[in-house]
Amino acid sequence: MRAHPRYFLQAALAVPFAVSTSVAAGVDCIDYAAYMHRLGSADTPGYASGVAAAGRFAYVADGPAGVQVIDVSSPSAPVIVGSLETPGEARAVAVSGSGLFIACAGAGLVVADLSSPVSPVAVACVDLAGEACDVAVSGTLALVAVGDSGLAVLDVTNTGAPFVAATLLTPAGAQGVAVQGAYAYAACGRAGLLVIDISHPKSPVVVGVAAAGSDAAGVAPAGSIVCLTDRLAGLVLVNIGEPGSPFVMGRVETPGTRVTADGECAFVAGLGAGLFVINISNPEHAKLIGRAETPDTAEGVAIAGAYAYVADGRAGLHVIAISNPASPATLGGAATSCEARGVAFSGGLAFVAEGTCGLAVMDISCPSAAAAVGRVDTPGTAEDVVVSGRCAYAADGSAGLQVIDVSNPEAPEIVGGVCAGGYAEGVAVAGGIAYLVDGSHLRVIDVSDAAAPHVVGAVAMPGRARAVAVSGVYACVAASSSGLVVVDVSRPASPAIVGTVETPDLAVGLAVAGMRAFVAAHASGFHVVDFSDPASPELAGNVPTAGAACDVSIADGTAYVACGDAGVEVMDLSEPGAPVMIGAVSTPGRAWCAAAGDVLCVADGSAGLTMLPAQCGVVGASPIAIRGAMGTDLDGSRPSPFGPGGTVISFRVRRDGRATVRIFDVSGRPVRLLLDRVLEAGEHLATWDGCDDRGRAVAAGVYFCRLRTAHGAASRRLLKSR
């Protein structure tokens, strides 16, 4: 139900950095909100290249727009509250006490008074005869990296009258600078790292050099280690225990411009690839543990408490939650013969549209050992697939619709097909009818006889029809530049457009639930459309995405948005008109399509099929948000929050059969099996005493209760108090 990836512009920098972690056996779902993810952003008028954080404010070096003052007291909704014009392009900033220090390219160093944080006032400007590109402040000294002119040491005892105490010509120029104790550390392009003794500010002396790469740009000391970013060689970890003899201890291949360090982690602004988190507790075996995509170039980064602040070029400032700096891990994956473009799953099997290689059937009953069990070549280019009953239905490019019998997964067989013109990109099936979009038209196809599918109706689309989803008597079509089109299909022979709504960018993928459509609108991200009045559909909510949104899947009150190079972003739909991003995960390839249920299956381009954990329920949802989940209702618990006395969980099953009720922690690890037996349809209770399967009391915090039957699953968030 999404658009072919060949129609998207490929990123100039496609970086295949998936976090190399694994999920423990038995993990059923996770709370994506418990992992590193973007929280909020503030668009800035210039080009954000540097950032410093102090108290409730972030100060952004915004290129020709000077410095922007952003209130980040509400991390999900940062707001610009002030600004400062600068005589040159603001490249980097540092805050010390009530002083703001700005590296202003050819204008040198600007010092501003922050007595009123929202109204900084420039009090001094020092010409440094070069391009000031970075600044660090320690006590009464400011050190400025001045490109080819090297390093300038300024006395800022009197911020209104700073002066140059010394300059130091560095080999290959100085691109970045940091200070720790009596030493300054300069990132000097092809010369690597310079260690400089500044105990006598008027006479700085280079005491050590580490040839650490070919384009060193950023530097951050962390105790006896210096983190050095090299635009070509990645993150380099240099031992500075003996300042006169620094040496390289380890490397991690991540792109990067600037870096900061906090405790055991280095945070690298990834030069177009977002924010990277590297565990540096063992420098010789440093490991990438987290990544958060950002929409633009990720030029600079600052850390304060549980948040990272990223200066993201044309996309302004982004706030990222880092209380847990790790990223969610994949459950497993399987290679495909050609690029994975579409995916559907049913009964422990995934069905993958593989472009010119046709359709692959994957056994995903054990995600860590997923493998193809059957394949069938299709006459065209398989772009999308859905499954209904014993058949899979493939949108097969110029070959139209292919009907494939998958009752024997090891030997899928094409049993019927119909080609009505155009290039088929998306398909949906409901009630013996297939709905096919092929660019110019939505075609209604009778598939009640799988061997003899035939077109019974069609309607021309105002824009290029890329994807389709059906709810009741309405088909919703993602129609590129024409946005969302609502079609009345109550009379299959005479489908009729009844309403349209434009989206800010190309509508290329969608899912529907009730009378709401959830639309992937390329560069403008994820949109919610209310079509309760089909003649007047309205945009009701939006979340910008880090990458171009190209597909949406909905399950249990959660939306999963496939974002190409940016992986998958997870949205909470507790209030569908106000969706909230609660997490994200990078994938090894390009995420073009997602299919959600007990697990999340991602058609991941050249990386094949990638599987991710599902979100555990809906964070903060009311019981009604979960009700009706395919034959299971999980109403909630009383009391909540609960203490040592435990809690009682009420639920209902709509059909007789086996049911399980299990408790999970926020990382998705099973904690306690409460129930596993055959139940009659109706209301039931399960009690949790707050202990794990071994009878040990669990820690206070957030947990998830998951109800599963043969007909579906539902989750509920629980809070245990002390």
Side-chain angles (χ1 to χ4, degrees):
M1 291 187 238
R2 23 63 64 202
H4 185 315
R6 68 192 177 96
Y7 297 111
F8 295 107
L9 293 176
Q10 303 301 316
L13 179 63
V15 187
F17 288 104
V19 179
S20 57
T21 56
S22 60
V23 173
V27 167
D28 188 59
C29 62
I30 64 171
D31 180 9
Y32 279 87
Y35 293 83
M36 176 182 180
H37 64 282
R38 287 186 301 117
L39 280 176
S41 63
D43 193 13
T44 59
Y47 186 89
S49 60
V51 59
R56 60 183 290 186
F57 300 104
Y59 300 89
V60 177
D62 203 31
V67 173
Q68 305 300 315
V69 183
I70 301 177
D71 186 334
V72 292
S73 56
S74 175
S76 61
V79 178
I80 296 176
V81 292
S83 63
L84 174 68
E85 291 186 10
T86 54
E89 288 195 4
R91 300 279 180 83
V93 290
V95 175
S96 179
S98 61
L100 177 65
F101 302 83
I102 310 156
C104 287
L109 178 72
V110 172
V111 183
D113 181 8
L114 288 179
S115 297
S116 174
V118 300
S119 302
V121 177
V123 294
C125 181
V126 182
D127 184 5
L128 298 176
E131 289 284 317
C133 51
D134 197 16
V135 58
V137 180
S138 178
T140 60
L141 297 179
L143 290 96
V144 183
V146 199
D148 291 340
S149 297
L151 187 71
V153 183
L154 288 86
D155 186 319
V156 293
T157 304
N158 179 357
T159 54
F163 62 89
V164 177
T167 58
L168 180 68
L169 192 62
T170 57
Q175 303 299 316
V177 63
V179 180
Q180 180 176 269
Y183 295 94
Y185 303 91
C188 294
R190 64 179 181 275
L193 175 72
L194 267 62
V195 182
I196 304 162
D197 185 340
I198 56 171
S199 55
H200 299 288
K202 294 182 179 180
S203 304
V205 178
V206 176
V207 296
V209 178
S214 55
D215 194 8
V219 60
S224 62
I225 299 295
V226 160
C227 302
L228 186 75
T229 49
D230 187 285
R231 292 186 179 93
L232 300 177
L235 178 69
V236 182
L237 301 174
V238 182
N239 186 304
I240 54 167
E242 292 290 338
S245 303
F247 63 93
V248 174
M249 293 189 72
R251 300 176 186 266
V252 178
E253 292 185 1
T254 61
T257 50
R258 299 301 183 195
V259 59
T260 189
D262 182 27
E264 296 183 344
C265 292
F267 298 82
V268 178
L271 192 63
L275 178 68
F276 293 91
V277 184
I278 295 95
N279 187 314
I280 58 172
S281 58
N282 183 348
E284 293 179 316
H285 301 283
K287 183 178 181 182
L288 176 66
I289 61 168
R291 181 185 179 190
E293 297 278 357
T294 57
D296 203 42
T297 52
E299 298 278 358
V301 59
I303 302 297
Y307 304 103
Y309 302 93
V310 177
D312 199 38
R314 290 176 294 272
L317 177 75
H318 285 263
V319 184
I320 297 173
I322 57 168
S323 55
N324 173 7
S327 289
T330 62
L331 294 174
T336 50
S337 297
C338 294
E339 185 178 67
R341 301 181 175 185
V343 62
F345 74 90
S346 176
L349 297 172
F351 302 84
V352 183
E354 294 186 311
T356 55
C357 293
L359 180 76
V361 184
M362 305 278 189
D363 182 349
I364 60 169
S365 56
C366 178
S368 62
V373 295
R375 280 193 167 88
V376 60
D377 194 12
T378 56
T381 304
E383 301 286 4
D384 191 22
V385 60
V386 295
V387 178
S388 180
R390 60 184 292 166
C391 290
Y393 301 83
D396 201 35
S398 58
L401 177 72
Q402 300 300 313
V403 184
I404 303 164
D405 185 337
V406 292
S407 56
N408 180 358
E410 296 180 1
E413 178 184 8
I414 296 175
V415 294
V418 60
C419 181
Y423 188 92
E425 296 184 58
V427 61
V429 174
I433 300 291
Y435 301 86
L436 188 75
V437 288
D438 59 8
S440 60
H441 286 76
L442 167 68
R443 303 191 189 273
V444 184
I445 302 171
D446 186 336
V447 291
S448 55
D449 180 355
H454 56 283
V455 177
V456 296
V459 60
M461 290 289 105
R464 182 173 189 155
R466 311 283 284 271
V468 60
V470 178
S471 179
V473 297
Y474 297 101
C476 294
V477 177
S480 300
S481 58
S482 295
L484 180 76
V485 179
V486 182
V487 182
D488 185 337
V489 292
S490 57
R491 299 173 60 192
S494 305
I497 294 174
V498 294
T500 62
V501 61
E502 290 188 4
T503 50
D505 200 20
L506 303 177
V508 294
L510 80 164
V512 295
M515 298 301 284
R516 288 189 175 91
F518 303 90
V519 183
H522 205 236
S524 66
F526 173 71
H527 294 266
V528 181
V529 177
D530 184 338
F531 66 101
S532 52
D533 179 358
S536 301
E538 296 181 342
L539 294 175
N542 166 241
V543 178
T545 52
C550 49
D551 186 42
V552 182
S553 184
I554 305 293
D556 284 350
T558 301
Y560 303 88
V561 185
C563 297
D565 290 328
V568 176
E569 299 196 357
V570 184
M571 311 292 177
D572 175 17
L573 301 180
S574 297
E575 297 181 24
V580 176
M581 179 183 171
I582 57 172
V585 59
S586 298
T587 58
R590 290 193 174 112
W592 297 121
C593 178
D598 289 346
V599 297
L600 181 67
C601 293
V602 180
D604 208 20
S606 59
L609 176 69
T610 297
M611 281 163 288
L612 305 171
Q615 167 67 22
C616 289
V618 184
V619 176
S622 67
I624 294 175
I626 293 293
R627 296 175 65 86
M630 299 175 63
T632 62
D633 291 339
L634 184 57
D635 289 339
S637 63
R638 297 291 184 275
S640 182
F642 69 95
T647 187
V648 177
I649 299 150
S650 61
F651 63 96
R652 94 176 34 85
V653 293
R654 299 182 186 176
R655 305 177 194 174
D656 295 351
R658 179 170 292 278
T660 61
V661 178
R662 191 186 297 269
I663 304 296
F664 294 85
D665 66 17
V666 293
S667 67
R669 297 177 186 274
V671 172
R672 179 74 174 271
L673 177 63
L674 301 182
L675 180 148
D676 183 4
R677 66 175 186 269
V678 174
L679 298 177
E680 294 182 355
E683 305 278 349
H684 298 274
L685 300 174
T687 300
W688 183 33
D689 59 5
C691 295
D692 63 16
D693 282 324
R694 297 184 181 182
R696 301 172 299 188
V698 299
V702 175
Y703 295 85
F704 288 89
C705 177
R706 188 161 179 86
L707 164 66
R708 184 190 297 279
T709 73
H711 308 290
S715 298
R716 173 62 54 212
R717 185 175 185 263
L718 307 177
L719 178 61
K720 184 185 179 188
S721 60
R722 295 187 183 278

